[in-house]
Each structure stands twice: as C-alpha cells, then as structure tokens.
Amino acid sequence: AALLGRFYALAPDEPGYLYTFNNIYGSSNPNPQFNSGWLSSPKIFLWIIYSPAKILNLIGGSDILSIRILSILLGGLSILLLSSMRQKLTKTNRISRNFIFVFYFIPSIFLWTTLGMRESFIIVEIAAFLVGFTLLVHERNKRGYILLFLGSYGLLSTKNYLWAVLMLATIICSVIVFRQNEYRRKILETLAVGLIAPVILFSS
C-alpha cells in the first residue's frame, strides 16, 4: 500500500474515492461524492467511516496511504469477525481458520482490501451481518443486535443493490424457518433489526 504511492493503474477508480475523502469534510460544492461509488451514501455515514483515516491524515499520513490503511484494518476486522463466527458454528477445530485466510489471499480480494476503495467496507459489513445473525440464533445477545444492524445499515449505505440481495436471502430464509415455533421470535427480531431499522435510518 505504501510502495504503490500515487500509482492508480491497478484500480483506476481509486482517485474518485480519494477525492471524496479529501472533500467530504469540507464544502459540498461541487459534490465530493460525485466521482466515486459513494454517490448515494449519506454524508454523515461517510464522515463516520472515514474518521479513522482522517485522524491518520491529520497526524501526518498522506491522504492515499490513510485510506489504504483504513481498508487494510477493515479487512483485518472482517477476518476477526468471521473467525469468531467459526467458533460459534463448530465445537471442534475441524474447520480450520486457514480457510478464512485463504479467501483473503485470492489476488483480487487481496488487492481490493489493500487499496482505498469500498470493497473492504462491503466485506466487513457482510461479515458483521452474518456474525450478528449467528449470535442472535445461538444466544440473542446485545452484540448480535448491534452487529446485525451495523452490517445491514452499512451495506445499504455502501452498495444498496448488494444489500437488497442479502435482504432477499434473509427473507427467504425467514419464511422457510418461520414454521418452527422456536425460531419465530428470533426471525421477527432479525427482520426488525436487520431490515426495517436500517431502512428507516437510511431514509431519514
């Protein structure tokens, strides 16, 4: 990430995300989101998610390296989330953690989670949603509600058509298991926290 510097040939749309980062905290004229994939994202959402990179930038890091480091940190966070879900789903170590790492070393995934684009945000948001869903099914704890909501709202704000696909899958899953009385309350809670609440917040 550091050695690439201002070399953008590996990701020609990276300058658009850099432009958004450099201008989102300042004037909105011209629209700082216009040249990137953040066009439909709420501005306050971008303020929050880019705040760690902004801090790095303010203490002396270059703008491009700051957003790349943020991307790398989010990739690492998604690995931690998926590893925690793996521990919930198996009582043995037959499912190796290495399977998770192998996914992140697929060349395209490795590249996307190193450069300053939005793929790392998408990956960590989907991971948060899946881990939150798993926690609700197994334990119904507060961490599950928080991850489910953050993952859903984040994905809706980042790439809404991927969110629509995830919600369609969630609804189909809910219809299938709703017949089982033991899961009905959990399904209703999942739809309320993972579907309805993010839509209300995003719309507002």
Side-chain angles (χ1 to χ4, degrees), residues 105-116:
F105 280 94
I106 296 172
S108 57
I109 301 296
F110 183 82
L111 178 66
W112 293 338
T113 55
T114 303
L115 301 179

Side-chain angles (χ1 to χ4, degrees), residues 12-98:
D13 53 344
E14 190 178 21
Y17 292 98
L18 180 61
Y19 174 81
T20 297
F21 171 72
N22 283 329
N23 293 278
I24 194 67
Y25 294 98
S27 173
S28 59
N29 189 20
N31 184 358
Q33 298 167 240
F34 182 72
N35 291 320
S36 72
W38 297 118
L39 187 59
S40 61
S41 303
K43 183 174 290 187
I44 190 170
F45 170 76
L46 296 177
W47 288 345
I48 294 171
I49 63 171
Y50 271 133
S51 58
K54 188 64 176 178
I55 293 171
L56 287 174
N57 188 217
L58 290 173
I59 62 177
S62 69
D63 52 1
I64 186 63
L65 186 57
S66 295
I67 63 173
R68 286 175 179 171
I69 289 176
L70 175 60
S71 184
I72 293 167
L73 291 175
L74 291 174
L77 177 59
S78 62
I79 291 175
L80 292 175
L81 287 170
L82 293 173
S83 296
S84 70
M85 184 173 70
R86 163 192 163 273
Q87 293 171 1
K88 295 291 182 184
L89 294 177
T90 179
K91 295 181 180 179
T92 69
N93 290 322
R94 288 181 297 174
I95 300 177
S96 172
R97 185 173 297 180
N98 292 335

